[in-house]
Amino acid sequence: MSLQEVAPSQAREVRLSALKRIARRLAVTNSIAMGVLWLITLLVAALFIYIIISLIVQGASTLISPTFYGTSDAGIAPELFNTFYILILTELILVPLSLAAAIYLVEYSPQGRFITVIHFAAETLSGVPSLVLGMFGFLVFAVYLHLGISRLAGALTLLCLNFPLALRLFESSLESVPGDLREGALALGATKWRAIRTVVLPTALPGIITGVILTAGKIIGEAAALIFTMGLFNPGNVFTLNPLIPSDTLTTHLYYIKGPGAGTLSLTSSQETALAAGLSAVLIILLLIINLSARAIGRAIQRRVTAA
Amino acid sequence: MQLTQPAQQANRQSRRARLVDRVISVVFLICAILLVAIILAVIFFIASQSFQVFFQGATLKGFFFGTFWDPTGDITGGAPSYGAGGLILGTVITTVFAMIIVVPFAIGTAVFFTEAAPQWLVRIMQPLIEIFTGIPSVVIGFLGLITIIPLIQKLSAPLTGNLPTGGYGWATAILVLVIMVLPTTMSISIDALRAVPGSVREASLALGSTRWQLMYRAVIPACATGLGTAVVLGFTRAIGEALAVALVLGGSQIPNWPWTLAVFFQPNVNITGQITSNFQETAGTAQYAYWTLAFVLLVITLIFVSISRFLSSRSVYK
C-alpha cells in the first residue's frame, strides 16, 4: 500500500469523525433542550390542573350544603341573582353597540386611517387596567351622571371594559363570512343593510354567539371594575330588577369576605373561608361551562364550514 | 318622463331603502366612534383629577420619591403625607420579578406547544390556557391566601423571625401575578408562533436542523416581535392587576429599610393594592392622591400599549 492511497482515506476518516462529533453534539443539545421544554410544559399543565382541582375540592363541601344557596350571610343566592342580572344588563347594552361598531368597520367603512384609529383606540382601552376603569366609572357614571353606586353604573363600566374584546370577536366573525355571499345579495339589487341583515348576520351568527359567551365569561369574572361602581353591599331587597340599587356579585363578595369585610359578617373565620371556597368553586364551574359551550359552538361552525 | 304606477312605487321603495341604509350606516358609525370617545374620556377625566393633589400641598418630588403614604393624615394624626415612592417601588418590583419568572415559562411552553408537543398534550393544554386566561383575579387571590401564604410563611420563617404576618407581601404577590399573567403571555405567544408560515420550518428542516435548532434559529427569530408583544402585554396585565394582589399584600406602608431579602416576606404595598383598599373611604384632597396614582398606572399602560403597537407594526408575520 503506497503512501498516496493511505493519506486520502485517513483524511476522510478525520473529516468523518469531526462530522460525527458535530452531529452528536447537536443531538445532545437537542435532547437536553427538548427535555427542558417537556419539563416546563408539564409543570405548567400540572400547575393549572392542580389549581382547578384544588379550588373545586376545597369548595366541594360548601357546594353540597343547602344553606350555601340561601339568603343568609352564609348563602350566595343574592350574589348569584346579581351576577346574572348584571351579566344580562351589560350584554343588552354591549352586544348592540359593539355589533353595530363591528358591522360599520367590516361592511361600511373604507379601509384606511379611520379603521386604524378605531383599532388603536380599542387596543388602548383594552390595556387600561380594570381598576382604573372602575375609578373612571365611579367618577363619570356614579358622580357626574348621578347614577350613584348602582347596577347601571356597574353595567356601563363593564361596557367600557368589554367593548374592545366584543368588537374584536364580532369583527372576526363578520370577516369570516365569504365575500361571494355579500356580492350575490348586492347583485340581486339588495341595499347594503338588507344584504347584511338577511345574508351576512345569519351566516356570522355562530361566531357572534361565541363572542357573546366569551364576553359573558369576562363579565362574570370581573371584580376590580365593580367595587367602586356597584359597591360591596346589598340593599334589603336584592331580588328586584331595579337598576339603580347597589349590589355585590360573586366576585366582589368573595373579595369582601376575604378582604375588607373579614369578620364583619355573622360568620366565624372558618365559615368565611368555607364560603369563599364555595364562591371560588362556583366561579370556576361557571367558567368551565362557558368555555365548554363556546368550544362546542366553535366545533359546530367548523363542521358547517367543512360540510359546505 | 311619465312613469307607470308600479314603477313609481318601486322607485319610492328603493329610495326609502336607500335612505334606511344611509341612516343605519350613520348610526353604526356613531357606535364605532363611541369607542374612541370612551378612551378619550378615560384619559381626560383621570388626568383632570390627577393634578389637583399638587395644588393642595403635595410636591412632585415628594410624591414620586417620598416613602410615607398617608393622604388622609390618619396615621400621624397630623398633616397628610403623599409619598408614593414606596407604592411605585412595590409595583415595579412585583411586576418585574413576576415577568422574570413568566417569560421563560410562557415562551418555552408556547414554543414547545406549537412546534413539538404531541396531540394529546395540545388537547389538554388548549382548554386549560383558555380557562386560565379568563380566571377571575379574586379567585387566584383567595388561592394565594389559603395556599401560597401559609407555604411562604413556613419557608421564610428563618428570614423574618417567624412573624405572625409573615407570608403576606411581595413574594406572594409575585407568585399570584405569575399565575395571573402566565396564561395571557402564553396564549399571545402561541398566536405569534402560529403566524409563522410552515415554509420557514420546512426550509430549516430541509437544511438538516434538529428540532431545537428549528425553534431556536428559525421560528423564534421569525416571530421575535410577536413574542415581544406578548411580553409587553403581559407587563400591562401585571401592572394593572388589582384584587388578587390587594388580598395578599396586606400592608399599609413600605417597610423602613426595604433593601434586605426579608422585605419580600412581610406585609407590603403597591399601587393597585392601595387604591383597591382605600380609594372609596377617602374624599377631597386625599382622594385626589389616589387619582394621581391611577393616572400613573394609566400612563404606564399607555406607554406599554404603544410599545406593543410599535412591535406588532414591525412584525413580518401576523
Side-chain angles (χ1 to χ4, degrees):
Chain A
M1 209 185 272
S2 74
L3 202 67
Q4 282 89 343
E5 281 168 351
V6 173
S9 89
Q10 258 180 355
R12 206 165 43 239
E13 253 166 48
V14 169
R15 262 209 314 277
L16 209 63
S17 72
L19 275 177
K20 269 184 189 158
R21 260 204 313 281
I22 292 177
R24 204 175 306 127
R25 209 187 58 224
L26 284 177
V28 169
T29 321
N30 185 48
S31 1
I32 293 174
M34 295 313 283
V36 170
L37 288 179
W38 261 106
L39 194 71
I40 287 179
T41 311
L42 289 180
L43 258 176
V44 170
L47 176 75
F48 285 175
I49 294 172
Y50 167 78
I51 289 175
I52 289 188
I53 291 179
S54 86
L55 283 171
I56 291 180
V57 166
Q58 273 159 357
S61 59
T62 318
L63 282 181
I64 52 171
S65 106
T67 50
F68 183 59
Y69 302 98
T71 53
S72 68
D73 268 2
I76 60 158
E79 285 75 29
L80 265 179
F81 175 80
N82 291 337
T83 299
F84 282 100
Y85 179 92
I86 197 74
L87 171 64
I88 292 169
L89 184 62
T90 310
E91 293 282 12
L92 281 180
I93 314 171
L94 174 69
V95 172
L97 281 178
S98 51
L99 189 56
I103 292 175
Y104 187 83
L105 290 186
V106 176
E107 308 286 339
Y108 286 96
S109 163
Q111 293 295 316
R113 185 157 294 172
F114 180 72
I115 291 196
T116 316
V117 169
I118 301 274
H119 282 164
F120 183 56
E123 257 174 62
T124 314
L125 187 58
S126 69
V128 175
S130 59
L131 181 74
V132 174
L133 268 185
M135 294 170 74
F136 165 77
F138 166 75
L139 182 74
V140 172
F141 302 129
V143 178
Y144 288 166
L145 293 181
H146 299 288
L147 296 174
I149 307 259
S150 66
R151 290 167 169 176
L152 190 55
L156 290 172
T157 311
L158 286 178
L159 164 76
C160 301
L161 188 69
N162 285 291
F163 205 141
L165 175 67
L167 181 72
R168 202 178 66 226
L169 294 170
F170 290 158
E171 258 187 284
S172 67
S173 78
L174 290 173
E175 273 162 4
S176 70
V177 175
D180 314 3
L181 291 180
R182 285 187 196 97
E183 283 157 22
L186 293 175
L188 287 174
T191 59
K192 221 161 188 184
W193 168 234
R194 196 176 160 84
I196 292 165
R197 195 162 43 98
T198 55
V199 175
V200 177
L201 282 182
T203 318
L205 190 63
I208 293 171
I209 294 175
T210 316
V212 173
I213 294 176
L214 290 178
T215 52
K218 208 173 164 196
I219 293 169
I220 290 177
E222 186 50 51
L226 292 179
I227 51 177
F228 304 143
T229 51
M230 233 163 69
L232 293 167
F233 307 100
N234 281 321
N237 181 19
V238 262
F239 299 103
T240 68
L241 294 181
N242 182 359
L244 292 175
I245 55 171
S247 345
D248 56 5
T249 64
L250 294 170
T251 47
T252 53
H253 195 51
L254 174 53
Y255 167 70
Y256 181 72
I257 295 169
K258 295 309 284 183
T264 58
L265 297 174
S266 61
L267 298 171
T268 64
S269 165
S270 66
Q271 278 174 321
E272 271 176 359
T273 304
L275 177 55
L279 280 166
S280 302
V282 166
L283 282 165
I284 291 287
I285 290 169
L286 280 176
L287 281 175
L288 285 174
I289 293 172
I290 282 173
N291 189 273
L292 288 178
S293 52
R295 294 179 79 77
I297 291 173
R299 263 202 301 281
I301 300 171
Q302 208 164 28
R303 253 204 306 280
R304 195 200 276 183
V305 170
T306 46
Chain B
M1 199 175 84
Q2 199 67 30
L3 285 173
T4 58
Q5 189 73 21
Q8 265 178 350
Q9 203 181 344
N11 210 351
R12 257 206 311 281
Q13 259 175 9
S14 89
R15 208 175 309 136
R16 208 178 55 223
R18 272 205 304 276
L19 186 70
V20 169
D21 195 47
R22 188 112 201 102
V23 170
I24 281 179
S25 81
V26 172
V27 171
F28 287 1
L29 172 64
I30 292 170
C31 292
I33 289 175
L34 182 67
L35 186 68
V36 183
I38 291 174
I39 183 66
L40 290 180
V42 168
I43 295 170
F44 170 76
F45 280 110
I46 290 178
S48 72
Q49 298 286 310
S50 69
F51 295 110
Q52 309 276 357
V53 73
F54 297 112
F55 299 121
Q56 315 214 7
T59 60
L60 265 179
K61 185 165 173 280
F63 190 88
F64 287 103
F65 297 103
T67 54
F68 190 63
W69 180 252
D70 182 22
T72 50
D74 284 347
I75 299 177
T76 54
S81 165
Y82 306 103
L87 313 186
I88 295 170
L89 183 71
T91 292
V92 169
I93 285 188
T94 49
T95 309
V96 168
F97 276 86
M99 287 310 287
I100 288 175
I101 302 176
V102 161
V103 168
F105 276 90
I107 293 184
T109 311
V111 171
F112 185 70
F113 186 83
T114 53
E115 306 302 321
Q119 263 303 305
W120 59 267
L121 193 61
V122 172
R123 227 172 285 146
I124 297 175
M125 286 292 280
Q126 185 80 44
L128 278 177
I129 295 172
E130 277 171 30
I131 291 166
F132 268 80
T133 315
I135 205 161
S137 75
V138 249
V139 171
I140 298 301
F142 170 67
L143 190 81
L145 276 179
I146 57 165
T147 312
I148 304 178
I149 285 185
L151 186 72
I152 297 276
Q153 185 171 21
K154 223 174 287 163
L155 291 179
S156 68
L159 264 175
T160 56
N162 225 345
L163 277 174
T165 52
Y168 284 87
W170 283 347
T172 313
I174 289 169
L175 293 181
V176 163
L177 279 180
V178 167
I179 301 175
M180 293 302 307
V181 178
L182 185 60
T184 316
T185 316
M186 210 188 301
S187 81
I188 305 171
S189 307
I190 289 174
D191 289 344
L193 288 161
R194 284 201 175 137
V196 176
S199 54
V200 171
R201 299 184 179 91
E202 284 155 20
S204 169
L205 287 175
L207 291 172
S209 65
T210 60
R211 278 254 169 230
W212 172 240
Q213 282 178 311
L214 162 71
M215 296 171 185
Y216 183 64
R217 301 274 183 202
V219 178
I220 292 181
C223 69
T225 49
L227 296 177
T229 312
V231 173
V232 170
L233 291 179
F235 260 108
T236 321
R237 176 115 203 244
I239 288 168
E241 194 51 62
L243 292 195
V245 176
L247 282 176
V248 299
L249 275 175
S252 63
Q253 292 298 333
I254 191 159
N256 279 336
W257 182 242
W259 313 115
T260 60
L261 198 56
V263 78
F264 281 89
F265 306 104
Q266 43 187 292
N268 215 321
V269 287
N270 81 340
I271 296 179
T272 50
Q274 281 300 303
I275 296 178
T276 312
S277 13
N278 299 330
F279 171 71
Q280 208 146 38
E281 276 111 57
T282 55
T285 318
Q287 197 170 59
Y288 287 137
Y290 288 100
W291 283 109
T292 315
L293 288 181
F295 188 60
V296 171
L297 281 182
L298 186 64
V299 169
I300 296 174
T301 51
L302 290 185
I303 292 171
F304 275 100
V305 168
S306 305
I307 295 175
S308 87
R309 183 116 188 134
F310 171 74
L311 283 177
S312 63
S313 76
R314 303 282 308 250
S315 67
V316 188
Y317 310 113
K318 284 175 194 162

